[in-house]
Amino acid sequence: MTFAARPPGRRWGTTSSTSAIPTTKAESIAFGYSLCLRSLKQKLLQICGVRRGATMTSLLELTKRVGVSACAMTHTTERMTHRLGVVPFLPRLSADRFTHLGGIAKDEFQRRMGECRSFEDGRWAGYWERFADEHIARADAALTRLNGPDTRQLLDPAAGVDLRRLGELLAPAVTILADRGTVADPDAVSRFIAAHPEHADAATAVDGLIKALVYEFVAAWPGWSPRRLRAYERSHRLCEVLVPALAPAMGMSIEVVHIPVGAQQVRGILMLPVGAESVPTVLVTNGLEGTIAEVLLPLLAQRDSGMGTFVMEMPGTYSYTEPMTAASEGIYSTVIDYLSAEPRIDADRIGMTGFSFGGYWATRMAAVDPRLKVVVTNGPLTHHSFGARNSIGMPEIMVSTLMRTVGAAGTAELSKKLKALSLAHHYRRIEMPLLVVNGARDTLASTQDSIDLAVEAPNAQLVLYADDDHCAMGNAEHWSALTADFLRNHLVLRDHLNTVEPVQVAR
């Protein structure tokens, strides 16, 4: 394995704990073979500031986590949100997650999170749908001025919206969608309108629909209740309309795909270059309560990579009708069957990327499906994350979501089902190139899972970002580029591989 990576322009501090870390690829290989796996794991944990006998967090932080767990165990979270708001019971990365996707000013979104006082289905979903409705109204007004369809038609699958016509109306502002990247700039739209005032309505409509889509996603989080699922369908519908409508302007073929798997159906979106022939393609899957749009929209900026992309949601969530189990790998196998049979895709050059719990599935499929040629797993939960220790600080709403996802009737059964998902004995079966990415201070999953996986998989590289959290959201732009390069090197430029240069990593 090799060690990585440093964001551009950032210097790592150096301490005695990093003095033994290799600085060249040859030294890295020698280092990996000269130490037993246990010592290597301990060294990496020291790098992350997780020394044996020392707590990862301050006493205050630990107290907060215990308090969150106490509320979960006593089912008093909702009562406490009426006093404290929802923020203490949300994952730390929540603000980054939604603001990055929507191009929403972070201070504005944090203020709105701070004013939310309930997780109850109607109150939570209703609160966030107010903001979605504001942006739908903006988009409606702009579409009216463009003589386009109104959003009621866009949201109605039976309305038969002319996507070609919609795309033509919005095409002058396609860059608002196509070039937003992993961290969308809140000021991009105003700059575009200042530079192209004649296309202000198109830009306003595109931005309004994207922000409505994102706020509906927030309203839908983390799924499972009726009002949330209604918001999910609205968010999903906006994605299925907006992205394919603008596909021609992006020079891409973007198709909504439904793949039957037994009594269920996989919803996905397939993105390929126009006129694609035998193109390498990456299967991308997200986490416990992520949506297709959350993954797809940032990937549009990488549309010229020479690769196709198929994006799907994780089994057991949102539109699926059956719980997620270890047997759900059959769903991913069926999707790979579909991709392998698609004549525009090169069946010998298929890769996979997974985020968070989707990283679990990327890791699992790397171990069991040899048709995959390269895999990237970001923030994976694989073994330690399923233990009781990692449950400390897990909010009640996430516990209930996990229970519904895996079909557990109570916390005892949840623990049993999660432990049964362990991949600890799969690591050494992963032979293809594997890139493991995470924050060194993951508060949702165990960073040790990322370390163990990278240490034990024979052809793995590890990228840990110091002082960053789950999936390294604070360094999203850096690892997004790194991931794209890694996939392209192994799928498109297989004869000219570039590996991640190992560097020193410190706290």
Side-chain angles (χ1 to χ4, degrees), residues 71-130:
C71 289
M73 293 173 64
T74 57
H75 303 294
T76 55
T77 299
E78 179 64 17
R79 187 187 310 166
M80 293 302 293
T81 62
H82 299 169
R83 295 175 52 197
L84 304 177
V86 299
V87 172
F89 306 97
L90 289 171
R92 283 184 179 178
L93 54 79
S94 295
D96 283 345
R97 178 182 190 177
F98 297 119
T99 57
H100 288 182
L101 180 62
I104 301 167
K106 190 170 182 178
D107 56 349
E108 171 188 315
F109 191 82
Q110 287 177 322
R111 175 177 55 79
R112 288 173 172 174
M113 282 201 311
E115 293 172 355
C116 186
R117 287 290 188 272
S118 177
F119 285 122
E120 187 273 324
D121 188 33
R123 294 181 65 185
W124 169 271
Y127 177 81
W128 293 106
E129 284 185 319
R130 286 166 40 204

Side-chain angles (χ1 to χ4, degrees), residues 288-349:
L288 182 65
E289 11 66 288
T291 63
I292 287 174
E294 183 180 17
V295 175
L296 179 63
L297 267 58
L299 289 176
L300 295 175
Q302 299 173 10
R303 61 193 179 278
D304 296 328
S305 65
M307 298 181 291
T309 303
F310 181 85
V311 180
M312 62 176 283
E313 291 163 0
M314 188 184 83
T317 62
Y318 292 120
S319 63
Y320 293 94
T321 57
E322 297 177 7
M324 182 193 74
T325 67
S328 297
E329 72 178 47
I331 292 176
Y332 287 100
S333 292
T334 301
V335 172
I336 296 172
D337 290 343
Y338 166 83
L339 296 176
S340 298
E342 165 59 56
R344 294 169 294 176
I345 293 173
D346 186 344
D348 291 325
R349 292 189 293 170

Side-chain angles (χ1 to χ4, degrees), residues 52 97 102 121 123 158 202 223 227 259 269 304 333 412 424 431 449:
R52 288 189 184 277
R97 178 182 190 177
D121 188 33
R123 294 181 65 185
R227 185 77 177 266
I259 304 173
I269 290 185
D304 296 328
S333 292
E431 298 180 353
D449 281 346

Side-chain angles (χ1 to χ4, degrees), residues 377-453:
T377 180
N378 188 330
L381 298 80
T382 59
H383 178 65
H384 295 284
S385 299
F386 301 138
R389 182 177 178 181
N390 198 66
S391 67
I392 299 174
M394 183 177 292
E396 185 177 354
I397 192 167
M398 296 304 296
V399 174
S400 63
T401 300
L402 270 172
M403 288 171 58
R404 289 167 175 163
T405 298
V406 302
T411 54
E413 187 179 4
L414 172 62
S415 178
K416 182 179 179 180
K417 286 179 176 288
L418 289 178
K419 287 180 180 178
L421 293 174
S422 172
L423 296 179
H425 298 298
H426 285 64
Y427 298 159
R428 290 183 173 274
R429 297 170 57 187
I430 301 173
E431 298 180 353
M432 75 276 292
L434 173 69
L435 177 62
V436 185
V437 180
N438 206 355
R441 308 278 185 164
D442 194 330
T443 59
L444 284 182
S446 172
T447 302
Q448 189 169 347
D449 281 346
S450 297
I451 293 171
D452 289 357
L453 172 59

Side-chain angles (χ1 to χ4, degrees), residues 190-330:
S190 58
R191 285 199 305 270
F192 178 92
I193 291 174
H196 308 283
E198 70 278 15
H199 299 311
D201 286 333
T204 300
V206 172
D207 183 58
L209 292 173
I210 293 172
K211 285 186 168 61
L213 177 161
V214 173
Y215 274 113
E216 291 284 7
F217 173 27
V218 183
W221 184 90
W224 288 105
S225 52
R227 185 77 177 266
R228 284 178 168 89
L229 289 178
R230 173 183 175 273
Y232 162 76
E233 290 296 342
R234 288 166 63 87
S235 179
H236 184 78
R237 174 62 183 169
L238 288 173
C239 179
E240 284 191 337
V241 168
L242 180 62
V243 178
L246 283 171
M250 292 186 279
M252 301 297 292
S253 169
I254 300 179
E255 305 162 10
V256 175
V257 176
H258 296 116
I259 304 173
V261 184
Q264 301 191 95
Q265 205 174 57
V266 176
R267 283 178 164 182
I269 290 185
L270 177 63
M271 178 170 68
L272 297 170
V274 172
E277 295 183 6
S278 195
V279 66
T281 298
V282 180
L283 164 59
V284 186
T285 187
N286 49 16
L288 182 65
E289 11 66 288
T291 63
I292 287 174
E294 183 180 17
V295 175
L296 179 63
L297 267 58
L299 289 176
L300 295 175
Q302 299 173 10
R303 61 193 179 278
D304 296 328
S305 65
M307 298 181 291
T309 303
F310 181 85
V311 180
M312 62 176 283
E313 291 163 0
M314 188 184 83
T317 62
Y318 292 120
S319 63
Y320 293 94
T321 57
E322 297 177 7
M324 182 193 74
T325 67
S328 297
E329 72 178 47

